[in-house]
Amino acid sequence: MTTPKQLLVLAAARNNAEWCAAMGRSHGSAGEFGPQAWAAPARTPLYYPDAVTLVPRADRAPLVARIDTVTPGASVKDSFADLDLTEAGFEVLFEAQWIHRPASAPALTSDLDWYVVGSPDRLRAWALAWDDGEGNTDLFRPELLDDPAVFVLAGQSAGGRVVAGAVASRSGHVVGISNVFALDGGPDRAWPLVLGAVHRLFPTLPVVGYEQGDDLVAAVRHGFEPVGPLRIWLHAS
């Protein structure tokens, strides 16, 4: 019998796979959904996995066969932390927890104004703030704005500068949150802004995502609960 938490993990995994697919499409990369996993045959954008499992105990061999393990950097998001990919040449990069915040949780407010990014110039400004000098601003391309399920959320200072934000992606009956950032104050500064915006946009939908370490602790402080583990595997080539 599937428990409520297991259902939430299934929904979170599917949501995250759809977000990874959207990011891939914005880079001209096509991935495909199968019964057990989403996978892309060519290398995906930086930070994004080549496959995301959608069900527990996915078959290892067919999963690995669907991705490119020759080009360096192949990775798999093991959404249920129940695969062993060591024999296929992978090693664990990190582990994290899926998180869930019910739609009925108290709405949060921020002192920052927010908006949904709707133009390439504003996306560039958002990406510059998100990147904070790391040199990966071009990860977020204007094509992403054409996806009706993706909402890039920006929080701005009184002077109109982007200082916080996240990406919200809707799928099924949940909203997934990723790329949470704030230039000052970290996640404790970002979450009230992001959750306030999501509540305004999707007041009846629960929020899901995944975090680890101190970021997980911060998410729990803002009304999330951990609902299940996930694991990221990186090919050792």
Side-chain angles (χ1 to χ4, degrees):
M1 182 172 165
T2 306
T3 68
K5 281 191 175 182
Q6 288 171 329
L7 289 173
L8 286 170
V9 172
L10 287 166
R14 178 76 190 198
N15 173 275
N16 188 261
E18 292 186 10
W19 161 235
C20 292
M23 177 60 87
R25 286 193 301 271
S26 73
H27 284 251
S29 171
E32 292 186 356
F33 282 88
Q36 296 190 344
W38 170 85
R43 184 64 62 252
T44 48
L46 181 69
Y47 305 134
Y48 287 81
D50 299 88
V52 181
T53 60
L54 303 173
V55 295
R57 297 175 295 281
D59 293 331
R60 181 185 67 189
L63 173 66
V64 173
R66 293 176 61 194
I67 65 175
D68 174 11
T69 56
V70 176
T71 305
S75 62
V76 173
K77 183 170 288 173
D78 174 8
S79 300
F80 305 87
D82 60 0
L83 297 181
D84 185 352
L85 299 180
T86 52
E87 291 185 8
F90 288 80
E91 56 190 27
V92 176
L93 181 62
F94 67 86
E95 297 185 343
Q97 282 279 330
W98 294 110
I99 56 174
H100 162 255
R101 192 178 194 270
S104 59
L108 301 182
T109 57
S110 169
D111 60 340
L112 297 171
D113 291 330
W114 68 273
Y115 59 87
V116 177
V117 172
S119 71
D121 287 345
R122 281 196 157 185
L123 181 62
R124 179 73 176 176
W126 182 95
L128 283 167
W130 166 85
D131 183 62
D132 198 21
E134 293 296 315
N136 299 312
T137 303
D138 291 338
L139 181 63
F140 293 90
R141 297 184 174 179
E143 290 82 357
L144 197 62
L145 301 177
D146 297 329
D147 194 311
V150 174
F151 300 77
V152 180
L153 308 175
Q156 63 181 4
S157 66
R161 176 170 169 255
V162 178
V163 294
V167 175
S169 54
R170 179 176 179 173
S171 68
H173 303 291
V174 298
V175 176
I177 300 296
S178 62
N179 298 282
V180 178
F181 75 92
L183 295 182
D184 296 302
D188 286 318
R189 174 76 159 158
W191 276 123
L193 166 88
V194 173
L195 291 171
V198 169
H199 180 74
R200 291 287 299 274
L201 292 169
F202 311 104
T204 64
L205 296 181
V207 183
V208 295
Y210 72 90
E211 297 289 356
Q212 60 171 323
D214 291 343
D215 290 338
L216 175 61
V217 174
V220 170
R221 279 198 297 270
H222 291 89
F224 285 92
E225 66 165 337
V227 292
L230 65 112
R231 185 177 292 141
I232 304 297
W233 293 86
L234 178 66
H235 199 261
S237 62

